Amino acid sequence: PRLLHINNGGFPGSRAGLALAIAARVFGIPTIMSVHNEPTDLASVRQPTRLLATLAMRSVSSLVTASKRNAAALELQKTRVQARGQVTAIQLGVHERPFKRTQAIRKANSEINLSSFGELTTRKGHRVLLEAAKIARQQRSDFRIEIVGDGELSEELRILCSSLGLDDSVFFLGFRSDW
């Protein structure tokens, strides 16, 4: 192939994706790696994944991610491992303009409803969502968050929710096949 695209989800992501990036470099194939979730700090990753991630980051031509925050985290890791590839943030999802318009006409006393769908793992950022809800609670109490999904952090997130005093606003719906 003339170009290889690896959709690795998070970073470091799968060992297979990391190994593929290294192999592509050996064969001289330019590689773009997509990182859609918040990157994990390589310092907290155990060997041999840390070594694979370092070599993969040095091997890819470009890292593409879904937010400026993720791009900044990848740039920092790239610097730490002396990687040369370009990091680009391409905003995914819904354009914010309709929401700004909606906010302007929303009644001040209307309830805010948020839903989060996904596996309950570190890379999905549910802890950040709960911490943000705690901050939001200081300004408004009329919001509801539904977390749809299950995973390794299910119990930990429920405990965090309780410790933050959010049990009346955050609802864990578990895995749902009907949505």
Side-chain angles (χ1 to χ4, degrees):
R2 293 183 188 177
L3 179 68
L4 177 65
H5 173 255
I6 301 170
N7 185 357
N8 214 29
F11 191 85
S14 74
R15 289 183 183 175
L18 298 174
L20 187 58
I22 296 164
R25 180 166 183 190
V26 169
F27 290 102
I29 302 169
T31 305
I32 297 171
M33 183 179 284
S34 295
V35 179
H36 293 281
N37 301 310
E38 186 173 344
T40 301
D41 185 357
L42 290 181
S44 67
V45 176
R46 293 189 293 174
Q47 295 290 5
T49 303
R50 185 183 314 153
L51 176 61
L52 273 174
T54 298
L55 293 173
M57 190 168 264
R58 290 179 182 167
S59 298
V60 298
S61 311
S62 183
L63 290 156
V64 177
T65 189
S67 74
K68 292 176 185 175
R69 177 181 171 177
N70 288 357
L74 286 169
E75 282 287 355
L76 178 61
Q77 291 190 49
K78 189 181 89 165
T79 301
R80 287 180 183 160
V81 299
Q82 293 97 34
R84 292 184 297 272
Q86 177 182 350
V87 176
T88 304
I90 300 175
Q91 299 290 128
L92 299 177
V94 181
H95 197 282
E96 66 185 25
R97 231 179 279 137
F99 293 101
K100 286 183 178 177
R101 194 171 34 240
T102 302
Q103 282 181 328
I105 61 173
R106 186 181 64 208
K107 294 178 183 174
N109 62 354
S110 65
E111 184 175 81
I112 298 170
N113 292 298
L114 299 171
S115 296
S116 171
F117 297 84
E119 188 177 16
L120 303 184
T121 60
T122 300
R123 66 190 180 100
K124 295 293 186 175
H126 291 95
R127 285 187 195 106
V128 175
L129 174 63
L130 293 176
E131 295 289 343
K134 168 87 170 147
I135 294 167
R137 167 60 67 78
Q138 295 169 0
Q139 294 182 11
R140 291 186 69 142
S141 61
D142 59 338
F143 65 87
R144 173 185 176 93
I145 299 174
E146 294 178 340
I147 298 177
V148 181
D150 200 5
E152 62 194 39
L153 295 182
S154 183
E155 187 61 28
E156 181 182 322
L157 292 170
R158 290 172 193 269
I159 291 168
L160 176 61
C161 179
S162 290
S163 72
L164 295 173
L166 297 169
D167 286 329
D168 61 338
S169 300
V170 178
F171 302 90
F172 291 87
L173 304 181
F175 174 78
R176 300 288 299 258
S177 61
D178 60 335
W179 287 27

PDB file of all heavy atoms in Angstrom, residues 7-24:
ATOM      1  N   ASN A   7      -6.711   2.769  12.806  1.00  0.00           N
ATOM      2  CA  ASN A   7      -7.687   3.341  13.737  1.00  0.00           C
ATOM      3  C   ASN A   7      -7.471   2.636  15.067  1.00  0.00           C
ATOM      4  O   ASN A   7      -7.987   1.561  15.298  1.00  0.00           O
ATOM      5  CB  ASN A   7      -9.106   3.124  13.221  1.00  0.00           C
ATOM      6  CG  ASN A   7     -10.128   3.802  14.098  1.00  0.00           C
ATOM      7  OD1 ASN A   7      -9.803   4.382  15.123  1.00  0.00           O
ATOM      8  ND2 ASN A   7     -11.374   3.717  13.691  1.00  0.00           N
ATOM      9  N   ASN A   8      -6.684   3.252  15.931  1.00  0.00           N
ATOM     10  CA  ASN A   8      -6.257   2.593  17.160  1.00  0.00           C
ATOM     11  C   ASN A   8      -7.121   2.929  18.362  1.00  0.00           C
ATOM     12  O   ASN A   8      -6.802   2.557  19.470  1.00  0.00           O
ATOM     13  CB  ASN A   8      -4.785   2.930  17.457  1.00  0.00           C
ATOM     14  CG  ASN A   8      -4.076   1.786  18.115  1.00  0.00           C
ATOM     15  OD1 ASN A   8      -4.412   0.633  17.911  1.00  0.00           O
ATOM     16  ND2 ASN A   8      -3.078   2.086  18.914  1.00  0.00           N
ATOM     17  N   GLY A   9      -8.217   3.657  18.164  1.00  0.00           N
ATOM     18  CA  GLY A   9      -9.092   3.985  19.284  1.00  0.00           C
ATOM     19  C   GLY A   9      -8.424   4.951  20.231  1.00  0.00           C
ATOM     20  O   GLY A   9      -8.509   6.148  20.071  1.00  0.00           O
ATOM     21  N   GLY A  10      -7.753   4.434  21.229  1.00  0.00           N
ATOM     22  CA  GLY A  10      -7.026   5.261  22.188  1.00  0.00           C
ATOM     23  C   GLY A  10      -5.538   5.172  21.928  1.00  0.00           C
ATOM     24  O   GLY A  10      -5.100   4.589  20.952  1.00  0.00           O
ATOM     25  N   PHE A  11      -4.777   5.772  22.790  1.00  0.00           N
ATOM     26  CA  PHE A  11      -3.329   5.615  22.689  1.00  0.00           C
ATOM     27  C   PHE A  11      -2.813   5.303  24.079  1.00  0.00           C
ATOM     28  O   PHE A  11      -3.164   5.995  25.021  1.00  0.00           O
ATOM     29  CB  PHE A  11      -2.644   6.883  22.155  1.00  0.00           C
ATOM     30  CG  PHE A  11      -1.204   6.623  21.805  1.00  0.00           C
ATOM     31  CD1 PHE A  11      -0.882   6.106  20.571  1.00  0.00           C
ATOM     32  CD2 PHE A  11      -0.195   6.831  22.728  1.00  0.00           C
ATOM     33  CE1 PHE A  11       0.436   5.822  20.256  1.00  0.00           C
ATOM     34  CE2 PHE A  11       1.111   6.549  22.424  1.00  0.00           C
ATOM     35  CZ  PHE A  11       1.427   6.043  21.177  1.00  0.00           C
ATOM     36  N   PRO A  12      -2.057   4.249  24.264  1.00  0.00           N
ATOM     37  CA  PRO A  12      -1.438   3.483  23.207  1.00  0.00           C
ATOM     38  C   PRO A  12      -2.361   2.553  22.436  1.00  0.00           C
ATOM     39  O   PRO A  12      -2.029   2.130  21.335  1.00  0.00           O
ATOM     40  CB  PRO A  12      -0.352   2.691  23.919  1.00  0.00           C
ATOM     41  CG  PRO A  12      -0.710   2.637  25.334  1.00  0.00           C
ATOM     42  CD  PRO A  12      -1.554   3.846  25.596  1.00  0.00           C
ATOM     43  N   GLY A  13      -3.513   2.188  22.941  1.00  0.00           N
ATOM     44  CA  GLY A  13      -4.426   1.341  22.185  1.00  0.00           C
ATOM     45  C   GLY A  13      -3.955  -0.088  22.094  1.00  0.00           C
ATOM     46  O   GLY A  13      -3.226  -0.577  22.948  1.00  0.00           O
ATOM     47  N   SER A  14      -4.335  -0.758  21.017  1.00  0.00           N
ATOM     48  CA  SER A  14      -4.034  -2.185  20.885  1.00  0.00           C
ATOM     49  C   SER A  14      -2.566  -2.419  20.539  1.00  0.00           C
ATOM     50  O   SER A  14      -1.952  -1.641  19.809  1.00  0.00           O
ATOM     51  CB  SER A  14      -4.921  -2.813  19.818  1.00  0.00           C
ATOM     52  OG  SER A  14      -4.489  -2.424  18.529  1.00  0.00           O
ATOM     53  N   ARG A  15      -2.037  -3.501  21.058  1.00  0.00           N
ATOM     54  CA  ARG A  15      -0.660  -3.875  20.732  1.00  0.00           C
ATOM     55  C   ARG A  15      -0.541  -4.203  19.242  1.00  0.00           C
ATOM     56  O   ARG A  15       0.481  -3.927  18.634  1.00  0.00           O
ATOM     57  CB  ARG A  15      -0.213  -5.065  21.574  1.00  0.00           C
ATOM     58  CG  ARG A  15       0.000  -4.703  23.016  1.00  0.00           C
ATOM     59  CD  ARG A  15       0.513  -5.881  23.793  1.00  0.00           C
ATOM     60  NE  ARG A  15       0.646  -5.539  25.197  1.00  0.00           N
ATOM     61  CZ  ARG A  15       0.987  -6.395  26.120  1.00  0.00           C
ATOM     62  NH1 ARG A  15       1.230  -7.643  25.810  1.00  0.00           N
ATOM     63  NH2 ARG A  15       1.081  -6.007  27.376  1.00  0.00           N
ATOM     64  N   ALA A  16      -1.589  -4.772  18.677  1.00  0.00           N
ATOM     65  CA  ALA A  16      -1.559  -5.101  17.246  1.00  0.00           C
ATOM     66  C   ALA A  16      -1.416  -3.833  16.408  1.00  0.00           C
ATOM     67  O   ALA A  16      -0.638  -3.796  15.445  1.00  0.00           O
ATOM     68  CB  ALA A  16      -2.823  -5.862  16.854  1.00  0.00           C
ATOM     69  N   GLY A  17      -2.164  -2.779  16.770  1.00  0.00           N
ATOM     70  CA  GLY A  17      -2.063  -1.517  16.045  1.00  0.00           C
ATOM     71  C   GLY A  17      -0.686  -0.896  16.181  1.00  0.00           C
ATOM     72  O   GLY A  17      -0.131  -0.352  15.220  1.00  0.00           O
ATOM     73  N   LEU A  18      -0.114  -0.992  17.363  1.00  0.00           N
ATOM     74  CA  LEU A  18       1.236  -0.456  17.587  1.00  0.00           C
ATOM     75  C   LEU A  18       2.262  -1.227  16.767  1.00  0.00           C
ATOM     76  O   LEU A  18       3.129  -0.637  16.117  1.00  0.00           O
ATOM     77  CB  LEU A  18       1.590  -0.532  19.079  1.00  0.00           C
ATOM     78  CG  LEU A  18       0.699   0.288  20.023  1.00  0.00           C
ATOM     79  CD1 LEU A  18       1.072   0.008  21.469  1.00  0.00           C
ATOM     80  CD2 LEU A  18       0.774   1.762  19.713  1.00  0.00           C
ATOM     81  N   ALA A  19       2.157  -2.559  16.787  1.00  0.00           N
ATOM     82  CA  ALA A  19       3.093  -3.392  16.022  1.00  0.00           C
ATOM     83  C   ALA A  19       2.956  -3.122  14.529  1.00  0.00           C
ATOM     84  O   ALA A  19       3.962  -3.098  13.789  1.00  0.00           O
ATOM     85  CB  ALA A  19       2.846  -4.872  16.339  1.00  0.00           C
ATOM     86  N   LEU A  20       1.738  -2.905  14.068  1.00  0.00           N
ATOM     87  CA  LEU A  20       1.505  -2.610  12.653  1.00  0.00           C
ATOM     88  C   LEU A  20       2.184  -1.299  12.249  1.00  0.00           C
ATOM     89  O   LEU A  20       2.792  -1.204  11.173  1.00  0.00           O
ATOM     90  CB  LEU A  20       0.001  -2.540  12.382  1.00  0.00           C
ATOM     91  CG  LEU A  20      -0.448  -2.395  10.937  1.00  0.00           C
ATOM     92  CD1 LEU A  20       0.074  -3.555  10.092  1.00  0.00           C
ATOM     93  CD2 LEU A  20      -1.958  -2.336  10.870  1.00  0.00           C
ATOM     94  N   ALA A  21       2.125  -0.302  13.104  1.00  0.00           N
ATOM     95  CA  ALA A  21       2.788   0.981  12.817  1.00  0.00           C
ATOM     96  C   ALA A  21       4.290   0.800  12.683  1.00  0.00           C
ATOM     97  O   ALA A  21       4.932   1.367  11.786  1.00  0.00           O
ATOM     98  CB  ALA A  21       2.473   1.994  13.919  1.00  0.00           C
ATOM     99  N   ILE A  22       4.869  -0.024  13.540  1.00  0.00           N
ATOM    100  CA  ILE A  22       6.313  -0.279  13.493  1.00  0.00           C
ATOM    101  C   ILE A  22       6.670  -1.042  12.222  1.00  0.00           C
ATOM    102  O   ILE A  22       7.629  -0.689  11.517  1.00  0.00           O
ATOM    103  CB  ILE A  22       6.758  -1.055  14.758  1.00  0.00           C
ATOM    104  CG1 ILE A  22       6.522  -0.183  16.006  1.00  0.00           C
ATOM    105  CG2 ILE A  22       8.217  -1.478  14.649  1.00  0.00           C
ATOM    106  CD1 ILE A  22       6.566  -0.956  17.308  1.00  0.00           C
ATOM    107  N   ALA A  23       5.876  -2.068  11.893  1.00  0.00           N
ATOM    108  CA  ALA A  23       6.124  -2.853  10.684  1.00  0.00           C
ATOM    109  C   ALA A  23       6.016  -1.983   9.429  1.00  0.00           C
ATOM    110  O   ALA A  23       6.816  -2.115   8.498  1.00  0.00           O
ATOM    111  CB  ALA A  23       5.149  -4.024  10.603  1.00  0.00           C
ATOM    112  N   ALA A  24       5.047  -1.085   9.411  1.00  0.00           N
ATOM    113  CA  ALA A  24       4.871  -0.201   8.248  1.00  0.00           C
ATOM    114  C   ALA A  24       6.119   0.646   8.031  1.00  0.00           C
ATOM    115  O   ALA A  24       6.552   0.863   6.897  1.00  0.00           O
ATOM    116  CB  ALA A  24       3.643   0.672   8.424  1.00  0.00           C
TER     117      ALA A  24
END
